[in-house]
Amino acid sequence: MHLKTLFRCAFLLTAVNPFSQATAQQQPNTLWYRQPAEAWTDALPLGNGRIGAMVFGGVAEERFQLNEETLWSGRPRTYARTGAVQYLQPIRQLLAEGKQKEAEAMGEKYFMAVKDPDDSTYSVQKDAWFKAMVQQTAPAATDHNDNNWATMELPTLEGWERSGLMGTDGVLWFRTSFNVPAKWLGKNLVLDLGRIRDVDYSYVNGQLVGHDEGISKKRKYTIPAALVKEGRNTVAVQVINFFDKGGFTGVKGSAKTLVVYPEGGDTDTAALANPWKYFIQDENPPAMPRYEADYLPFGDLYFRFAHGDNSSNYKRSLDLENAIAKVSYTANGIGYNREYFISAPHQCLVAHLTAAKPGALSVQALLQSPHKKYVVKKIDDRTLSISLQVSNGVLKGVGYLYARSNGGKLSVSDTAISVENANDADFYFVAATSFKNYKDVSGDPEAKCKSALAQIMHIPYNTIKAAHVKEYRQLAGTFSFTVPAGQNALLPTNERISTFSMQNDPSLVSLFVMYGRYLLISSSRPGTQPANLQGIWNDLLTPPWGSKYTSNINLQMNYWPAEVLNLPSCTQPLFQMIDELAVAGSITAKEHYGAPGWVLHHNTDLWRGTAPINASNHGIWVTGAAWLCLHIWEHFLFTQDTAFLRKQYPNMLAAAQFFEKFLVKDAKTGYLISTPSNSPEQGGLVAGPTMDHQIIRELFKNTITAAAILNKDAAFADRLKALITQIAPNKIGKHQQLQEWMEDIDEVQNQHRHISHLWGVYPGTDITWKDSAMMKAARQSLIYRGDGGTGWSLAWKVNVWARFKEGDHALLMIKNLFTPAIDDHGRERGGVYNNLFDAHPPFQIDGNFGGSSGIAEMIIQSHTGVIELLPALPAELPEGSVKGICARGGFVLDLQWNQGKLQQVKLTSKSGNFCHLKYGNAEVKFPTKKGGSYTFNGSLRTNRQ
């Protein structure tokens, strides 16, 4: 049952007309800007799969925000809760009786993963610490001396971490004042402070006027009239933050905050003076118990240039063809150029700085880190090092910065490398951590850095650059996508985004796809960790959702474009992770479900946690492992690599064994159902979500086929065949929608970001046009969900609309995905940032990858066994070409279309399989030879027909 044909090739089709030179000509794939980055999401990403950097491009001060992919919080440990399985049946019974809240309460108490540190220990420590903190009230006094306090502009919408207090948890005092006019005397006033994280004790003129706890609560306190005086009044607020964002975080919308007004109306207000003064009372709260670990930033490399900030002719760019960032400008009449890249062959970040005038380059290089525990020191006369220890974990990190200059003077102190009056200079940064694998943290990062530096310190810059470009192009050069350039194509990227329309700039679509490939190459290479929620780029010690691996859509979406866009080697980290999760997940399967095989819930991290986390109403979701197994099968379908399938088949088998045990018969319908579980991330804990059943059916079918190909486990495959027919089927509901749950309870107004029950349309194959009624019901569900959403949600919808073969609607989702992430009022929304990073918001990289795969689905689909060409081509993309796009069965294709019609297709067979090609009503079926190429015109005819 291997997909290779048993037919021998009787003919070899030869190429006919070559592609139009005008259409196929490569367009520059570059992001560029006329100014330095102001925000992190303006900066440009570099990476080699292991080391990442965000390049800001400042004139007087350049900043590289640095990451090393294995620097995480946490430690090796067991996540599964021993004995949780005894609560499995009681939870199921409660759900069967319709007692969802009781089931969720039981799950929350007895079925979730084990936190680190333990909750009970933390509770005692927290109470003692909190009691000691609130007893210190001296800073509330009206006459308290705050002359030496620092200042901060409030509110800080993203917490005080974004205002210079990165990594600070604990207790801060804030002080300010407001002026009261005589007409307010004798009236109670309202003090409106907006939201505060986490706890506040708020004082006016030395007296407590209120306190509260909760990150979403708006603080409004009554100031008694007797406490108010004419003129200046003092406000002091003690803010207690246990973890993550702290401080005054404002409110959503345009409502006034940080004001005082008479009780009964807020039209006549007095603003609290800004900036506020602040003082850190304590920054060592007990460590907060966490279900899983966070991906952490490594540090920052700064270049401070002597020429100052005045410049002209500024340009900042990222060349996607060569993975090189550049900055150029003129300062004091002298031209300056910088080239940056992160080399995979030499495992280092490289900076090449030049000046047009000899002796005009003077720069100081410094290393810093947001981690509290870090040390910078001189290693030798060319090298500076940084060493760090994460606060809530066991990992250590080391980085070495090595410099060379041409002309001038180079010196190293214990804080910086200085280059004076040079012609040019090169800097090389290497980094490592003590991580060896998810069970072992005994690595020696110092030795790793010394070894890495020793391998590059005597190699000329041009040699390192040439090796980088050659190696990168071996991956990047396997695919191209070209559409005609519109009138806005030559604008800076931020301007292209803000003015985007298909009429003026259709090539932004192709640039987005090429950028998606660049990001995957830069964040996922053989031997590295998989791309996480932010790829490998993160600047926060408490990043959104831990910047880890969310496995109920986001991790998988990261790898949707890998096969079709011809980057199969970039999937290796995912399969290595699957091997490790299968081991860790077998413990969770046993402890939580009493089942063989392995299970993964909706998140994992560097330490391969697989147990349910966060909350029972969405954390108990059982099909993460089964979904990951689809990537195993897809990789085989695209590559036809039987050796790979043989290696990964045990993971598919074990996942199927888990569900053979886990599925139970529903008393109401007689079907086998998945319970307890959830339809991510809504509806609470339920029995029998549609998505689960689609994923499990797909797992069983693929495992059966894999077993036949490998001639293994025939008896088990037969059992799976029998089970498939018993699993609860997809159902059409009263609104003509595809039901999301066993019960017909879908709400047509529900526009939730997840479209989980459409998994069977994409990425699965449980629903295809072979069942047009079910496909139409799925389409109706997506119409109800709407055309808005978070960045990754929009990306998912692109793929599904493409599977519906509605290219214009799929393109509408792309247009929505290209919405500027920052609106005219400075608020964030779903779309893309200035650097084309996807906005959830905040930044998540999955939308970049999912959007790229969705555009590929418009051009080619092969999930039904037939290669369909241009199945969802939008009317607004009438002309274009792709080279190197891949199809299941081991095929690589080059396509050209014009005026909305296929002009030519060239197909190369990597495995010699039988091929079924379709375009519109035209079809051709033929055997192929391994390595053979076959060219057809728009009617799928050759020059011999």
Side-chain angles (χ1 to χ4, degrees):
M1 289 188 66
H2 193 287
L3 293 178
K4 275 196 172 184
T5 178
L6 297 177
F7 299 104
R8 298 186 61 184
C9 181
F11 59 91
L12 177 62
L13 302 178
T14 57
V16 286
N17 296 327
F19 284 0
S20 157
Q21 187 66 31
T23 303
Q25 183 180 2
Q26 282 290 302
Q27 298 170 356
N29 286 307
T30 302
L31 281 68
W32 76 278
Y33 308 83
R34 291 192 175 106
Q35 63 283 320
E38 293 183 5
W40 188 83
T41 46
D42 296 334
L44 294 171
L46 295 173
N48 65 358
R50 188 177 69 83
I51 300 171
M54 296 293 287
V55 183
F56 285 69
V59 175
E61 181 179 85
E62 174 66 277
R63 179 191 176 195
F64 299 83
Q65 186 272 308
L66 303 169
N67 289 99
E68 204 280 353
E69 59 156 5
T70 61
L71 192 68
W72 290 63
S73 65
R75 61 186 175 86
R77 67 182 183 91
T78 299
Y79 288 69
R81 184 173 294 277
T82 301
V85 65
Q86 64 184 301
Y87 298 97
L88 175 62
Q89 188 53 39
I91 292 172
R92 283 175 167 166
Q93 185 61 37
L94 288 170
L95 291 174
E97 295 171 359
K99 299 177 180 178
Q100 185 187 57
K101 294 302 179 185
E102 292 86 343
E104 290 174 350
M106 182 177 288
E108 193 72 35
K109 188 173 182 179
Y110 300 112
F111 208 75
M112 305 304 287
V114 176
K115 294 180 183 179
D116 185 31
D118 181 77
D119 268 326
S120 59
T121 303
Y122 172 74
S123 180
V124 174
Q125 294 174 340
K126 174 188 172 183
D127 289 347
W129 176 81
F130 184 85
K131 183 178 180 180
M133 293 300 105
V134 298
Q135 289 176 349
Q136 300 180 38
T137 61
T142 304
D143 59 353
H144 187 80
N145 186 351
D146 58 15
N147 290 337
N148 294 323
W149 288 22
T151 60
M152 183 184 299
E153 289 281 342
L154 299 181
T156 52
L157 302 182
E158 296 299 318
W160 57 47
E161 286 81 357
R162 288 289 193 187
S163 296
L165 296 179
M166 179 75 72
T168 299
D169 300 316
V171 184
L172 270 69
W173 277 93
F174 292 86
R175 287 172 59 89
T176 191
S177 63
F178 63 93
N179 288 313
V180 170
K183 63 180 180 179
W184 287 7
L185 294 179
K187 299 178 181 180
N188 290 343
L189 304 183
V190 176
L191 174 65
D192 189 336
L193 298 174
R195 295 178 300 173
I196 297 177
R197 301 183 60 157
D198 298 308
V199 180
D200 73 291
Y201 285 81
S202 297
Y203 299 80
V204 174
N205 294 332
Q207 298 297 311
L208 182 69
V209 296
H211 70 90
D212 208 340
E213 180 174 2
I215 64 176
S216 299
K217 294 181 180 179
K218 298 175 184 178
R219 275 36 172 215
K220 289 186 179 182
Y221 300 127
T222 299
I223 308 173
L227 195 57
V228 179
K229 58 185 180 180
E230 184 178 359
R232 187 176 185 273
N233 291 255
T234 301
V235 175
V237 182
Q238 184 186 38
V239 178
I240 303 173
N241 172 237
F242 302 108
F243 181 75
D244 202 357
K245 300 180 181 71
F248 297 76
T249 55
V251 295
K252 294 181 179 179
S254 56
K256 294 180 180 179
T257 61
L258 304 181
V259 294
V260 175
Y261 52 86
E263 202 170 46
D266 61 356
T267 55
D268 185 14
T269 64
L272 301 178
N274 233 338
W276 293 49
K277 292 189 173 184
Y278 76 89
F279 159 74
I280 300 175
Q281 176 185 333
D282 186 280
E283 53 182 327
N284 293 295
M288 172 78 78
R290 306 292 308 286
Y291 278 117
E292 289 187 348
D294 295 335
Y295 178 55
L296 302 175
F298 189 93
D300 296 275
L301 166 61
Y302 291 94
F303 291 148
R304 293 176 180 165
F305 294 88
H307 54 51
D309 214 16
N310 292 327
S311 67
S312 59
N313 305 318
Y314 180 91
K315 183 178 181 180
R316 173 172 62 100
S317 64
L318 175 61
D319 173 9
L320 304 183
E321 302 290 340
N322 298 297
I324 295 176
K326 297 180 181 180
V327 178
S328 61
Y329 55 90
T330 301
N332 303 320
I334 301 169
Y336 291 88
N337 288 279
R338 311 174 196 164
E339 283 190 340
Y340 309 131
F341 58 88
I342 301 182
S343 167
H346 292 101
Q347 287 296 306
C348 62
L349 182 154
V350 181
H352 179 61
L353 314 178
T354 63
K357 179 181 179 181
L361 179 66
S362 294
V363 60
Q364 187 181 61
L366 304 95
L367 292 169
Q368 296 179 7
S369 179
H371 296 275
K372 293 179 181 178
K373 303 174 184 176
Y374 82 92
V375 175
V376 175
K377 67 178 181 180
K378 175 181 177 179
I379 297 298
D380 57 38
D381 290 341
R382 293 183 180 273
T383 311
L384 192 69
S385 81
I386 184 169
S387 303
L388 60 91
Q389 164 75 57
V390 304
S391 295
N392 296 317
V394 297
L395 287 172
K396 300 175 182 178
V398 173
Y400 274 24
L401 180 66
Y402 173 79
R404 289 194 295 244
S405 66
N406 175 23
K409 177 184 177 183
L410 189 154
S411 61
V412 181
S413 70
D414 274 333
T415 58
I417 298 177
S418 297
V419 175
E420 300 175 70
N421 304 320
N423 305 326
D424 56 71
D426 300 324
F427 292 85
Y428 303 89
F429 179 78
V430 298
T433 77
S434 53
F435 178 86
K436 295 182 75 173
N437 59 57
Y438 76 104
K439 296 179 179 179
D440 186 350
V441 294
S442 64
D444 185 344
E446 191 90 29
K448 292 178 185 178
C449 286
K450 288 179 179 178
S451 175
L453 199 56
Q455 295 178 40
I456 61 174
M457 59 195 309
H458 300 300
I459 302 176
Y461 166 76
N462 286 334
T463 302
I464 292 177
K465 178 183 176 181
H468 158 74
V469 171
K470 180 181 179 181
E471 190 274 343
Y472 172 78
R473 284 182 174 175
Q474 289 173 351
L475 290 170
T478 60
F479 174 89
S480 67
F481 178 23
T482 306
V483 299
Q487 65 185 44
N488 289 353
L490 297 180
L491 290 176
T493 305
N494 56 312
E495 296 179 28
R496 295 179 70 180
I497 294 168
S498 64
T499 61
F500 173 72
S501 72
M502 287 299 294
Q503 180 179 359
N504 295 329
D505 200 2
S507 62
L508 188 62
V509 174
S510 56
L511 179 66
F512 185 79
V513 172
M514 301 306 288
Y515 188 50
R517 294 185 84 246
Y518 167 82
L519 293 174
L520 189 58
I521 294 170
S522 301
S523 62
S524 183
R525 295 289 198 96
T528 71
Q529 297 295 314
N532 62 48
L533 278 175
Q534 298 183 186
I536 53 171
W537 300 281
N538 167 44
D539 65 329
L540 297 174
L541 291 172
T542 53
W545 302 284
S547 188
K548 49 187 187 293
Y549 304 99
T550 302
S551 49
N552 65 6
I553 175 64
N554 314 92
L555 169 61
Q556 292 89 340
M557 186 181 284
N558 284 0
Y559 289 90
W560 284 358
E563 309 293 351
V564 68
L565 296 185
N566 211 342
L567 290 174
S569 67
C570 291
T571 61
Q572 188 275 340
L574 179 65
F575 300 127
Q576 178 62 39
M577 171 185 263
I578 290 173
D579 287 340
E580 295 166 352
L581 289 172
V583 175
S586 66
I587 300 173
T588 303
K590 176 182 177 182
E591 294 293 349
H592 287 251
Y593 300 100
W598 67 290
V599 66
L600 170 65
H601 293 83
H602 90 298
N603 265 275
T604 189
D605 59 9
L606 183 72
W607 314 110
R608 305 307 185 239
T610 58
I613 70 164
N614 292 356
S616 63
N617 64 358
H618 66 276
I620 301 175
W621 174 81
V622 294
T623 42
W627 189 344
L628 286 177
C629 287
L630 177 62
H631 286 262
I632 296 172
W633 184 243
E634 290 280 81
H635 186 76
F636 169 71
L637 290 180
F638 276 93
T639 65
Q640 296 294 290
D641 186 344
T642 307
F644 164 82
L645 182 63
R646 184 173 289 108
K647 181 178 183 298
Q648 284 292 327
Y649 170 75
N651 293 329
M652 297 176 66
L653 177 71
Q657 288 171 334
F658 171 83
F659 285 105
E660 181 188 29
K661 172 71 173 178
F662 175 77
L663 292 170
V664 296
K665 183 174 288 190
D666 177 38
K668 295 179 181 178
T669 65
Y671 288 120
L672 293 178
I673 63 171
S674 170
T675 179
S677 196
N678 168 254
S679 189
E681 294 167 356
Q682 61 167 333
L685 194 63
V686 298
T690 296
M691 179 198 215
D692 276 16
H693 300 151
Q694 294 172 347
I695 293 174
I696 295 165
R697 271 193 295 271
E698 194 106 5
L699 171 68
F700 284 4
K701 290 176 183 177
N702 295 341
T703 303
I704 290 166
T705 308
I709 291 170
L710 299 174
N711 194 25
K712 288 176 174 287
D713 304 308
F716 179 67
D718 288 340
R719 296 204 303 273
L720 294 185
K721 291 176 186 177
L723 289 174
I724 287 174
T725 62
Q726 301 175 52
I727 297 172
N730 296 309
K731 292 194 289 186
I732 299 175
K734 60 189 176 186
H735 303 296
Q736 303 308 307
Q737 89 287 4
L738 175 65
Q739 289 184 199
E740 188 163 358
W741 296 278
M742 292 288 290
E743 299 80 14
D744 190 1
I745 57 174
D746 299 70
E747 298 177 359
V748 297
Q749 300 86 4
N750 180 6
Q751 296 196 344
H752 196 271
R753 61 191 178 277
H754 282 267
I755 53 172
S756 302
H757 52 316
L758 303 189
W759 187 96
V761 178
Y762 189 95
T765 61
D766 197 53
I767 302 174
T768 68
W769 280 111
K770 293 178 181 178
D771 186 346
S772 60
M774 200 62 67
M775 200 71 158
K776 290 175 181 177
R779 181 183 182 276
Q780 186 61 56
S781 288
L782 190 52
I783 290 174
Y784 288 141
R785 275 295 202 264
D787 293 334
T790 59
W792 62 261
S793 177
L794 292 170
W796 195 352
K797 291 175 182 179
V798 176
N799 289 270
V800 177
W801 280 114
R803 286 276 171 99
F804 290 150
K805 300 185 180 178
E806 297 189 35
D808 290 341
H809 208 140
L811 183 62
L812 174 62
M813 298 298 96
I814 289 292
K815 293 176 182 178
N816 291 347
L817 188 62
F818 286 177
T819 300
I822 310 296
D823 68 15
D824 293 337
H825 302 288
R827 295 186 292 262
E828 291 190 328
R829 59 189 175 186
V832 292
Y833 295 100
N834 285 333
N835 64 0
L836 271 181
F837 269 177
D838 169 67
H840 178 285
F843 163 54
Q844 278 188 199
I845 204 167
D846 38 30
N848 290 98
F849 296 136
S852 299
S853 71
I855 294 167
E857 285 289 315
M858 298 179 195
I859 298 169
I860 188 171
Q861 295 179 20
S862 60
H863 58 289
T864 63
V866 179
I867 301 174
E868 296 190 68
L869 306 177
L870 308 180
L873 184 68
E876 291 183 279
L877 205 61
E879 182 180 350
S881 68
V882 294
K883 290 186 176 183
I885 200 166
C886 295
R888 295 165 184 84
F891 300 105
V892 182
L893 296 92
D894 301 342
L895 289 83
Q896 182 187 353
W897 64 95
N898 195 14
Q899 296 182 347
K901 297 184 182 299
L902 179 69
Q903 300 299 305
Q904 187 168 282
V905 57
K906 176 184 176 183
L907 178 144
T908 300
S909 176
K910 295 190 296 183
S911 302
N913 280 332
F914 194 84
C915 183
H916 184 177
L917 203 59
K918 182 178 181 181
Y919 170 64
N921 294 323
E923 293 187 65
V924 61
K925 303 176 184 179
F926 57 98
T928 70
K929 282 186 177 180
K930 184 176 182 179
S933 293
Y934 311 85
T935 303
F936 302 87
N937 63 21
S939 300
L940 296 189
R941 294 177 176 271
T942 73
N943 61 347
R944 296 185 178 185
Q945 294 177 301

